[in-house]
């Protein structure tokens, strides 16, 4: 049952705490009257108690629940919606420890006796082939002899690490675990260190205080303090701590890694932190671990990077790898690494083109504003958000065609409903929960109250709608007006502050996993989950627009970081863009849901393929353009939907037409023309927006995220090799936007501009140097091919083949690309290359090359050439690897390049050591057969 919580009787302490937190953030008064039930924020307000009859967080049986944390963590905002939230949110009354938690490569589950850990390496295909999972399976338990704790509590946490705590009155245990960590760092009192294994362990190394064991085919190392000795008795392994309180356990990628891992066994991780910047169209993020030396002076560590991370770092990586549900993880030997990505394009709306029929668009707009209920009867937080988002998309569209009266009617509808929600005491309001440090909208939906689910999904729509209002009425968005309430919703969902006592840091966004989680409690055997990744990125794009419209560069840049990061994570883990993540036994090209343990071709409410594919597309907005970065994945996605659906989309045809237009605008336009007369728009869509979107992209061409502007609200489109540059300037003065291909665009104040730009030079040639003239390219460190001749010679490390034969199949390749290449195929010509490589003194190494041609830059490579590998000698010094080694295989045919992409991949086909490739030098070139 649900327990009512009356709104009266708020304490002076609660009201004062809330007011002080708001004042510290620059919002709200510095004090509040005693027993206040309403907290004012600018012109708006929220309640400090729930509406009568409403519920807050509960167990699955409806019993109110408070955070399960230690005394040391009391009063700190708890990060719900995280990979480890079941430690703090006891959703199920009979499990006071935790459900399985997926840190990757390790999995964890707290039990009375300590921490169960596993390393799942073999996927299972379940649910009629619709789901793959690397389910948690205990290999061993890390604990103390005799430990029998009645519960496990969260004792401390940072950006991607957490410290669970056990106490049974005699013994206490703390372990620190985290994403990417191969180690479990343990500190205990009251008993000997104890590790119990799921089966009898095989010992492969016994060095006293260091023990190497194999359990269920997985290799682990156990590290006790120097002077201690591990004793093995069946499946129980124990060691006295000799008056000290620490030990650690690590999962090893191989038994020969023991010496490397032993080096860092007593460098205990004490915290994790991400820092980001977004400038000049480039997003940089640095992920740093802090450590404490329990013995000696070593302060380094090892951390495993996910695919979305190692694809975008040039930091050195070791040869060690792990299996995970997100594909291969690669190990870095350091306390930090940095990723560099292009910023994702964001626009308030697609720009105006002459292709749009004004009369037709006007008619579709009138269908919305003249309807009996433009807000579609929405009542709760989610469906109100959908309705707000639907109307917000039409405001710039109406403005583009001079329909100012319609624009203003839409703005009035948005303001009215937002202000209604942003004012406490009515039929709908937001209420603050002091225990969970969260803002809950009532009427709630989909467990946003009892389970703290989906806040980023729901509130993202409100922020997006507010950003559109702010674009046209900056005064409305002032903190002293309604902007304060917008910022309060942002603080609940994506708080950039780690010191804000009222809300946790980035509640739903997992900075290391690279995406958000939807469940507030994480109380599932499969870990946490997220279905609608696009509603998550909707919040990120909304932050870019809100920050741009209000001059809040902190929130704008936060949005750029979140959107670039999650955009790549979605491409890899939802759409399997590189086809390197999903297991080979999983028969789908996309998934509707990602779980901690894997992913599923499903949704929470239906098995209809249209919704499975569409749920990670909607809402379609000017923040959806980043989906066009992988057009091949879009095409596979649409093709699979039609196969599974038995034909083209019917229910969500508008969403899927808009999605297809990101890769093939003409095809989407043809489907619209054939089917627009008789369909019902998806609840967050309108015919006005769909017509404008599809027609505009058909005219401009598909988005081209490979070129970025130095203004976050900018984008590029390409059609038939011609680029159109677009940008929206929220500022009060005109500004010039410079794009990464050297083009510039002058944008008047508070306007959107488009054009082909003017000549210029590339302001940031390292992230995206463009080919100028000629057919001779040099690989440059950082992953580019360039015709420029002014580079500094250097070298890149070619990772080891790991002792496995990878002849003909790229393995951890170095990848270099040139984009936007135009050229006429030379009759009878063929590819040539001269690549200096060096194996040093290593024996038995062979480097291999693959060269691929995407003739139109659409993401599909029409021609791929793989050459026989080159066996390097064990003598230090450069050797030339060239095309004379011979073509091993070739697929497809060459043709003229029109805005095309040329890709060079270099990897180790054989050998057990790294080698080098010379870069940026005149003797290291790829010559393509084009004029």
């Amino acid at each position: 049952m649900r327990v009512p919580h009356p709104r009266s009787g708020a304490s002076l302490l609660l009201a004062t705490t809330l007011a002080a937190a708001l004042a510290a953030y620059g919002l709200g008064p510095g004090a509040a009257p005693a027993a206040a039930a309403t907290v004012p924020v600018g012109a708006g307000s929220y309640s400090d108690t729930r509406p009568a009859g409403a519920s807050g967080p509960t167990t699955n049986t409806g019993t109110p629940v408070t955070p399960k944390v230690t005394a040391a963590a009391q009063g700190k905002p708890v990060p719900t919606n995280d990979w480890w939230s079941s430690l703090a949110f006891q959703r199920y009354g009979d499990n006071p420890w935790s459900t399985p938690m997926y840190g990757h490569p390790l999995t964890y589950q707290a039990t009375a006796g300590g921490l169960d850990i596993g390393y799942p390496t073999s996927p299972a295909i379940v649910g009629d082939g619709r789901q793959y999972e690397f389910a948690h399976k205990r290999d061993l338990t890390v604990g103390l002899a005799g430990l029998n704790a009645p519960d496990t509590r969260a004792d401390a946490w940072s950006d991607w690490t957490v410290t669970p705590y056990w106490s049974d009155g005699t013994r206490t245990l703390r372990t620190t675990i985290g994403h990417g960590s191969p180690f479990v760092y343990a500190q205990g009192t009251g008993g000997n260190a104890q590790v119990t294994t799921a089966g009898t362990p095989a010992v492969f190394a016994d060095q006293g205080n260091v023990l190497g064991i194999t359990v269920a085919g997985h290799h682990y190392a156990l590290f006790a303090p120097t002077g201690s000795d591990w004793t093995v008795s069946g499946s129980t392994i124990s060691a006295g701590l000799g008056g000290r309180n620490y030990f650690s356990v690590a999962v090893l990628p191989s038994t020969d890694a023991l010496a490397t891992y032993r080096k860092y066994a007593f460098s205990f991780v004490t915290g994790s932190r991400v820092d980001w910047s977004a400038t000049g169209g480039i997003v940089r993020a640095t992920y740093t671990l802090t450590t404490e030396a329990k013995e000696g002076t070593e302060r380094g560590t090892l951390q495993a990077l996910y695919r979305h991370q190692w694809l975008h770092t040039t930091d050195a990586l070791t040869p060690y790898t792990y299996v995970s549900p997100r594909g291969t993880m690669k190990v870095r030997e350091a306390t930090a690494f940095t990723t560099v990505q292009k910023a994702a394009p964001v626009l308030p709306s697609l720009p105006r083109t002459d292709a749009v029929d004004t009369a037709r668009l006007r008619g579709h707009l009138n269908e919305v504003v003249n309807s009996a209920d433009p807000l579609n009867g929405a009542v709760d937080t989610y469906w109100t958000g959908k309705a707000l988002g639907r109307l917000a998309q039409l405001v710039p569209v109406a403005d583009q065609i001079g329909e100012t009266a319609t624009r203003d009617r839409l703005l009035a509808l948005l303001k009215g409903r937002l202000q209604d929600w942003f004012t406490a005491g009515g039929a709908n309001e937001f209420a603050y929960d002091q225990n969970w440090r969260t803002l809950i909208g009532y009427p709630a939906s989909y467990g946003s109250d009892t389970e703290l689910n989906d806040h980023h999904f729901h509130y993202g729509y409100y922020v997006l709608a507010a950003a559109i209002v702010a674009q046209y009425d900056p005064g409305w968005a002032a903190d002293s007006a309604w902007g304060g309430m917008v910022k309060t919703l942002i603080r609940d969902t994506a708080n950039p502050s780690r010191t804000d006592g009222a809300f946790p840091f980035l509640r739903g966004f997992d900075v290391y996993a690279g995406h958000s989680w939807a469940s507030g409690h994480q109380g599932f055997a499969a870990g946490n989950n997220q279905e609608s990744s696009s509603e998550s990125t909707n919040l990120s794009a909304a932050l870019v627009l809100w920050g741009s419209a209000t001059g809040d560069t902190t929130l704008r840049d936060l949005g750029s970081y979140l959107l670039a990061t999650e955009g790549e994570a979605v491409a890899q883990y939802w759409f399997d863009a590189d086809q390197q993540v999903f297991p080979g036994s999983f028969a789908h090209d996309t998934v509707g849901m990602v779980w901690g343990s894997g992913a599923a071709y499903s949704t929470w409410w239906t098995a209809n393929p249209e919704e499975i594919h569409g749920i990670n597309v909607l809402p379609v907005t000017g923040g959806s353009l980043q989906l066009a970065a992988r057009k091949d994945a879009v095409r596979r996605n649409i093709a699979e939907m039609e196969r599974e659906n038995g034909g083209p989309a019917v229910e969500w045809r508008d969403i899927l037409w808009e999605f297809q237009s990101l890769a093939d605008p003409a095809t989407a336009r043809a489907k619209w023309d054939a089917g627009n007369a008789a369909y019902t728009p998806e609840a967050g869509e309108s015919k006005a927006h769909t017509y404008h979107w599809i027609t505009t992209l058909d005219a401009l061409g598909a988005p081209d995220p490979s070129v970025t502007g130095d203004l976050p609200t900018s984008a590029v489109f390409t059609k038939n090799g011609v680029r159109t540059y677009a940008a929206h300037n929220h500022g009060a003065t005109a500004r010039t936007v410079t794009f990464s291909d050297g083009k510039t665009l002058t944008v008047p104040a508070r306007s959107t501009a488009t054009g082909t730009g003017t000549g210029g030079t590339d302001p940031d040639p390292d992230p995206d140097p463009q080919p100028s003239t000629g057919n001779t390219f040099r690989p440059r460190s950082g992953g580019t091919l360039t015709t420029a001749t002014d580079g500094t010679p250097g070298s890149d490390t070619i990772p080891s083949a790991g002792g496995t034969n990878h002849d003909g199949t790229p393995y951890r390749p170095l990848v270099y690309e040139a984009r936007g290449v135009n050229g006429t195929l030379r009759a009878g010509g063929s590819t040539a290359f001269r690549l200096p490589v060096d194996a040093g003194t290593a024996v038995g190494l062979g480097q291999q090359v693959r060269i691929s041609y995407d003739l139109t830059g659409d993401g599909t490579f029409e021609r791929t050439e793989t050459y026989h590998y080159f066996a390097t000698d064990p003598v230090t010094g450069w050797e030339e690897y060239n095309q004379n080694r011979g073509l091993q295989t070739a697929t497809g045919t060459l043709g003229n390049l029109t805005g095309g992409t040329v890709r060079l991949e270099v990897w180790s086909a054989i050998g057990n050591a790294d080698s080098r490739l010379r870069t940026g030098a005149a003797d290291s070139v790829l010559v393509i057969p084009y004029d």
Side-chain angles (χ1 to χ4, degrees):
M1 71 177 201
R2 293 190 173 187
V3 181
H5 296 273
R7 294 178 57 218
S8 59
S11 69
L12 172 62
L13 175 61
L14 174 59
T16 303
T17 299
L18 292 173
L22 287 167
Y25 197 75
L27 303 175
T38 297
V39 178
V41 184
S45 59
Y46 60 83
S47 176
D48 63 5
T49 52
R50 287 186 286 275
S55 293
T58 65
T59 66
N60 62 313
T61 59
T63 303
V65 64
T66 57
K68 189 162 57 78
V69 298
T70 65
Q74 285 289 341
K76 298 177 181 178
V78 176
T80 57
N81 307 75
D82 215 333
W83 68 274
W84 57 264
S85 291
S86 62
L87 278 172
F89 195 138
Q90 186 178 340
R91 178 64 177 162
Y92 299 97
D94 59 351
N95 182 5
W97 300 285
S98 83
T99 54
M101 301 173 289
Y102 292 80
H104 307 144
L106 289 171
T107 60
Y108 314 95
Q109 184 168 12
T111 63
L115 184 69
D116 290 354
I117 68 174
Y119 174 40
T121 52
S122 298
I125 306 299
V126 299
D128 296 326
R130 287 176 167 261
Q131 182 168 349
Y132 75 84
E133 59 179 9
F134 292 76
H136 168 71
K137 183 179 181 181
R138 170 182 172 262
D139 283 343
L140 49 84
T141 301
V142 176
L144 299 174
L147 178 65
N148 186 23
D151 62 21
T152 308
R153 296 173 177 268
D155 185 57
W157 51 82
S158 52
D159 288 6
W160 64 88
T161 58
V162 64
T163 300
Y165 172 86
W166 295 257
S167 176
D168 61 7
T170 301
R171 289 157 286 267
T172 65
L173 174 69
R174 289 176 175 84
T175 63
T176 296
I177 56 179
H179 274 315
S181 178
F183 283 95
V184 174
Y185 306 95
Q187 297 182 78
T189 62
N192 290 338
Q194 180 172 286
V195 174
T196 57
T197 57
T200 302
V203 176
F204 65 83
D206 187 349
Q207 302 167 8
N209 70 317
V210 177
L211 188 71
I213 61 172
T214 301
V215 181
H218 305 139
H219 310 301
Y220 292 90
L222 283 53
F223 304 98
T226 299
S228 301
D229 191 11
W230 291 102
T231 299
V232 181
S233 177
S235 61
T236 300
I237 307 171
S238 59
L241 298 178
R244 288 160 289 184
N245 68 348
Y246 55 84
F247 63 102
S248 66
V249 174
V251 61
L252 303 179
S254 60
T255 56
D256 60 7
L258 178 60
T260 299
Y261 280 64
R262 177 175 186 168
K263 179 180 177 182
Y264 301 109
F266 302 114
S267 179
F268 275 39
V269 168
T270 57
S272 55
R273 179 185 175 100
V274 63
D275 294 284
W276 62 84
S277 65
T279 58
I282 298 297
V283 175
R284 289 178 170 83
T286 298
Y287 300 82
T288 304
L289 295 172
T290 54
T291 63
E292 174 188 2
K294 292 295 185 181
E295 289 186 9
T297 59
E298 179 59 62
R299 298 291 299 273
T301 192
L302 296 160
Q303 51 188 327
L305 280 62
Y306 284 115
R307 181 176 182 83
H308 76 276
Q309 295 169 324
W310 57 254
L311 280 173
H312 295 284
T313 187
T314 57
D315 292 339
L317 303 174
T318 71
Y320 301 129
T321 62
Y322 289 104
V323 173
S324 88
R326 310 292 179 254
T328 300
M329 300 183 78
K330 299 186 178 185
V331 177
R332 173 147 168 85
E333 191 173 5
T335 57
F337 64 91
T338 297
T339 60
V340 181
Q341 292 180 255
K342 294 180 175 70
V346 179
L347 290 173
S349 172
L350 293 184
R352 179 177 181 174
T353 70
D354 293 336
V356 172
D357 184 314
T358 301
R360 185 176 185 181
L361 181 56
R362 184 184 302 115
H364 287 314
L365 287 168
N366 287 334
E367 291 170 6
V368 176
V369 296
N370 294 330
S371 65
D373 182 8
L375 286 152
N376 290 338
V379 174
D380 61 39
T381 49
Y382 178 71
W383 290 102
T384 296
K386 292 267 289 188
L388 290 170
R390 173 174 174 262
L391 298 182
Q393 293 307 302
L394 300 182
V395 173
V397 170
D399 190 50
Q400 282 179 15
I401 62 172
E403 289 294 312
T404 55
T406 299
R407 176 200 68 192
D408 292 344
R409 288 174 65 188
L410 290 164
L411 286 169
L413 286 167
L414 293 174
K415 289 179 182 179
R417 186 54 60 95
L418 286 169
Q419 290 168 198
D420 188 24
W421 274 90
F422 289 169
T423 303
N428 37 250
E429 66 177 353
F430 287 96
Y432 183 79
D433 187 299
Q434 172 71 6
N435 288 323
W436 288 95
R437 309 297 171 93
T438 187
L439 198 68
I440 303 174
Y442 294 97
S445 49
Y446 305 110
S448 60
D449 52 352
T450 57
E451 301 178 50
L452 300 184
N453 297 340
D454 299 356
H455 284 201
H456 58 315
F457 293 165
H458 299 199
Y459 302 173
Y461 286 107
Y462 292 71
V463 178
L464 178 66
I468 295 298
V469 173
Q471 181 178 326
Y472 292 90
D473 187 354
W476 182 93
D479 288 350
S480 58
W482 300 96
M485 277 300 295
V486 179
K487 286 187 176 180
T488 306
L489 265 65
I490 292 171
R491 290 166 65 207
D492 180 74
T493 54
N495 189 5
S497 171
R498 296 179 179 84
T499 59
D500 182 352
F503 299 96
F505 172 69
L506 296 181
R507 179 186 304 280
F509 191 78
D510 186 327
V511 297
Y512 205 88
H515 59 81
S516 296
W517 296 111
S519 169
H521 54 76
Q522 188 260 309
F524 303 96
N528 213 323
N529 71 87
Q530 179 159 265
E531 181 181 63
S532 181
S533 61
S534 49
E535 286 182 306
S536 181
T537 56
N538 183 50
L539 172 61
S540 304
L543 291 174
V544 174
L545 294 175
W546 173 262
S548 298
T550 61
D552 190 330
T553 56
T554 296
L555 292 180
R556 181 199 68 191
D557 293 350
L558 168 63
S560 291
Y561 163 66
L562 297 178
L563 187 59
T565 305
E566 189 154 25
E568 179 64 17
V570 170
Q572 296 297 332
Y573 312 139
W574 275 259
F575 298 157
D576 197 15
D578 295 332
Q579 299 181 286
Q580 296 293 314
V581 172
F582 296 172
S585 52
F586 183 64
H588 294 281
D589 290 324
T590 190
V591 295
M593 305 174 69
V594 163
W595 288 88
S597 65
Y601 186 78
S602 64
T603 72
W604 278 109
W605 79 97
T606 183
N608 184 346
E610 295 186 32
E611 278 96 330
I612 292 172
H613 289 259
I615 193 58
N616 287 293
V617 176
L618 62 80
V620 178
T621 74
S624 303
L625 304 178
Q626 49 88 19
L627 291 170
R630 298 305 303 269
K631 295 177 177 61
D632 49 346
V634 174
R635 294 188 182 102
R636 287 196 300 272
N637 199 309
I638 293 293
E640 179 177 18
M641 184 279 297
E642 294 184 346
R643 288 195 306 272
E644 294 286 330
N645 204 43
V650 177
E651 273 188 65
W652 279 8
R653 64 182 76 180
D654 46 359
I655 296 296
L656 293 161
W657 289 338
E658 290 172 306
F659 183 41
Q660 188 166 20
S661 69
L662 295 170
D664 297 309
T667 302
R669 175 63 186 269
K671 290 182 176 180
W672 160 265
D673 288 342
N676 72 81
Y679 81 95
T680 300
E682 187 271 333
E685 263 300 343
S686 64
K687 287 189 175 180
H689 179 256
T690 302
Y691 168 65
H692 180 268
W693 180 273
I694 290 174
T695 305
T696 300
L697 288 182
D698 183 45
L700 297 179
D704 183 1
S706 70
V707 181
T708 58
D710 62 0
L711 184 69
T713 49
S714 61
V716 179
F717 307 86
T718 301
K719 182 175 183 177
N720 297 328
V722 176
R723 284 179 176 153
T724 297
Y725 303 82
H728 184 84
N729 176 14
H730 288 87
T733 59
R735 67 160 293 167
T736 297
V737 179
T738 301
F739 291 86
S740 59
D741 62 356
K743 302 298 184 181
T744 59
L745 181 68
T746 299
V747 189
R750 299 193 176 95
S751 301
T752 296
T754 61
T756 56
T758 60
T761 58
D762 193 336
D764 192 353
D766 183 60
D768 190 32
Q770 297 297 308
S772 50
T773 59
N775 61 359
T776 300
F777 295 85
R778 296 183 185 183
R780 178 178 289 178
S781 294
T784 58
L785 291 171
T786 178
T787 57
T789 59
D790 57 352
T792 301
S795 66
D796 286 345
T797 298
I798 307 171
S800 165
T804 303
N805 190 308
H806 300 285
D807 185 11
T809 303
Y811 173 73
R812 303 168 66 196
L814 299 176
V815 180
Y816 305 87
E817 285 190 351
R819 296 174 181 265
V821 183
N822 297 309
T824 301
L825 180 63
R826 184 185 307 115
S830 60
T831 306
F833 59 88
R834 300 187 304 277
L835 299 173
V837 291
D838 178 30
T841 58
V843 176
L845 273 58
Q847 296 77 38
Q848 195 158 27
V849 159
R850 183 167 75 177
I851 298 159
S852 305
Y853 296 87
D854 171 358
L855 301 180
T856 61
D858 64 358
T860 299
F861 287 89
E862 287 82 3
R863 171 73 171 179
T864 299
E865 303 173 357
T866 303
Y867 291 81
H868 290 294
Y869 69 76
F870 177 74
T872 43
D873 63 31
V875 178
T876 300
W878 298 112
E879 300 174 78
E880 184 181 281
Y881 175 19
N882 59 46
Q883 74 281 353
N884 292 330
R885 289 296 303 165
L887 191 62
Q888 184 182 70
T889 61
T891 61
T893 57
L894 288 170
N896 293 338
L897 286 163
T898 305
T901 299
V902 179
R903 176 182 293 174
L904 166 68
E905 296 171 272
V906 185
W907 71 96
S908 294
I910 57 173
N912 202 21
D914 294 346
S915 53
R916 293 189 300 153
L917 170 70
R918 187 163 166 83
T919 60
D923 60 348
S924 183
V925 296
L926 166 64
V927 183
I928 63 175
Y930 288 86
D931 297 319

